[in-house]
Amino acid sequence: MSCEFVFFSDLNVDFVPRKEIDNGKFVRNPEKPERLTGVLSYLSKKFQSGSVIEFSEEWILKVHIEKYFKYIVKKSQEVIGEYIPEVFFVDLIFDTGTPINSRTFLAAKRAVDVVLSASEYALKNKKPVYALTRPPGHHAMRSFGGGYCYFNNVAIAAKFFEEKGMKVAILDVDFHHGNGTQDIFYADPNVLYVSLHGDPKEFYPWYSGFEDEIGEGKGRGKNINIPLPRGTDGRIYFEALRKAMEKIQEFSPDAFLLSLGTDTHVKDPVGKFSLKSEDYKIAGRLIADAISKVKYKVLVHEGGYNHYSNLSAVKNFLEGFLS
């Protein structure tokens, strides 16, 4: 796929979560801007950067309920220091790993703007585009946030294309299941969600990502989960990825969105797969070949918590994807 390639970015460097509660203890929160600065530097040297524009908040309300949206706004405005949600069903965050500070809403909104700017560029130019931003989004449900995610960036982008009468396929390759994206489109026949992830019997978010979750109503059959075991290597992973791409080809989408989590790398401190840097080149090539006939392609960064392995994974993935 030799073509012009443009990226849109904003790492929201003034949004820095400090802590989370894990196994009953306060630990350092890994969702820092530094995890992606190497990737941004690489993209800036090699590709053209697009200008991020501000979109209406109404786009967020197309996938999140108003009560949740207002909760994030209000908490961000009133918090002093950092607030770790723990009063569940009062706090509309479903875990203790997703803190709120005074910059949370602004950063989450800006991340949405980055992904929508990339989507609009893809729509106008019919060229693949990369959205590099944080906080990530795929754990954010219609009514709850969590997993370091506040607004579901990919889901909002999918709605952007869907409202133009398109069928949309989302491939999620983050180590963790995108429970939020699944929740939002579970009954939607126009959006196919396919996820490769660590088996939820062992890994976050634990309650979703099982194979028998296939969608409901008109969306039945449009939700495909492929859980994989601890230590999954390239051989196992590529077999699953080929299966995923076959499902996407059968769906024949007009637009393709990738939730690209690089926490599948063997060096990632959070994910527990064993993918090596060179495996991402193969993955990029496999995905590009399978979606060669899809008009609109947007790659969106999600997780990945090692500065060096994130950079290596993205470099190799794009080399394969764009070759």
Side-chain angles (χ1 to χ4, degrees):
M1 185 185 293
S2 179
C3 58
E4 176 189 353
F5 186 70
V6 173
F7 73 96
F8 291 76
S9 65
D10 190 331
L11 297 187
N12 288 304
V13 295
D14 53 356
F15 173 62
V16 185
R18 297 197 307 263
K19 296 179 181 179
E20 62 176 302
I21 298 175
D22 184 36
N23 290 317
K25 298 179 180 179
F26 280 103
V27 298
R28 293 180 63 185
N29 193 301
E31 208 293 283
K32 301 285 200 296
E34 291 78 13
R35 71 187 182 93
L36 294 175
T37 51
V39 177
L40 178 57
S41 178
Y42 163 72
L43 293 174
S44 298
K45 292 174 182 176
K46 192 168 182 64
F47 303 108
Q48 177 185 345
S49 174
S51 298
V52 178
I53 60 177
E54 186 173 352
F55 284 77
S56 167
E57 295 172 353
E58 290 300 317
W59 282 104
I60 299 172
L61 293 170
K62 291 178 185 294
V63 303
H64 296 292
I65 66 169
E66 187 174 11
K67 178 182 177 181
Y68 172 66
F69 175 81
K70 288 183 175 179
Y71 168 83
I72 295 296
V73 172
K74 185 173 185 293
K75 277 291 184 183
S76 298
Q77 291 173 342
E78 68 185 17
V79 68
I80 298 175
E82 184 171 68
Y83 178 75
I84 296 182
E86 57 180 343
V87 185
F88 300 120
F89 302 110
V90 174
D91 288 329
L92 300 184
I93 301 289
F94 65 79
D95 60 25
T96 54
T98 310
I100 297 174
N101 64 33
S102 63
R103 302 295 299 179
T104 296
F105 169 70
L106 295 174
K109 171 60 168 59
R110 183 64 172 176
V112 169
D113 288 339
V114 170
V115 178
L116 283 176
S117 294
S119 299
E120 186 166 79
Y121 179 91
L123 180 68
K124 291 180 178 178
N125 295 278
K126 297 184 177 64
K127 297 181 184 298
V129 61
Y130 199 110
L132 180 71
T133 192
R134 52 172 293 279
H138 75 149
H139 291 305
M141 304 163 70
R142 189 177 300 278
S143 306
F144 294 91
Y148 312 144
C149 303
Y150 305 93
F151 300 140
N152 196 312
N153 306 318
V154 160
I156 294 167
K159 187 62 69 173
F160 173 87
F161 287 107
E162 185 183 19
E163 290 206 345
K164 291 168 175 57
M166 299 184 197
K167 292 167 60 181
V168 183
I170 302 171
L171 174 65
D172 192 331
V173 296
D174 190 277
F175 175 77
H176 305 93
H177 178 246
N179 59 296
T181 311
Q182 173 173 295
D183 169 70
I184 290 165
F185 295 113
Y186 205 59
D188 191 331
N190 300 312
V191 178
L192 174 69
Y193 178 66
V194 185
S195 178
L196 281 65
H197 51 268
D199 193 331
K201 291 178 182 176
E202 184 178 5
F203 301 113
Y204 185 97
W206 300 294
Y207 78 93
S208 75
F210 298 95
E211 287 180 279
D212 61 357
E213 297 163 9
I214 61 171
E216 64 184 11
K218 292 182 178 180
R220 187 174 177 83
K222 299 300 188 295
N223 194 89
I224 299 170
N225 289 319
I226 306 176
L228 299 169
R230 176 187 290 265
T232 286
D233 60 11
R235 180 185 62 82
I236 297 172
Y237 192 82
F238 298 139
E239 181 180 346
L241 182 58
R242 289 186 179 95
K243 177 182 176 182
M245 299 317 298
E246 287 173 1
K247 296 295 184 181
I248 289 172
Q249 287 179 311
E250 290 172 6
F251 183 65
S252 189
D254 303 295
F256 171 81
L257 300 170
L258 178 66
S259 276
L260 178 60
T262 47
D263 47 359
T264 48
H265 195 285
V266 65
K267 298 289 188 181
D268 191 89
V270 177
K272 302 301 177 185
F273 283 171
S274 296
L275 297 187
K276 299 178 180 178
S277 296
E278 54 267 28
D279 290 330
Y280 291 88
K281 189 180 298 184
I282 299 171
R285 180 74 263 160
L286 282 172
I287 292 171
D289 287 346
I291 62 167
S292 60
K293 295 181 180 179
V294 179
K295 283 185 180 181
Y296 311 109
K297 310 173 184 76
V298 182
L299 316 179
V300 180
H301 207 101
E302 298 279 2
Y305 303 96
N306 179 313
H307 173 94
Y308 300 103
S309 60
N310 289 345
L311 172 58
S312 181
V314 170
K315 286 175 66 175
N316 279 276
F317 181 87
L318 289 180
E319 186 173 335
F321 187 82
L322 297 173
S323 63

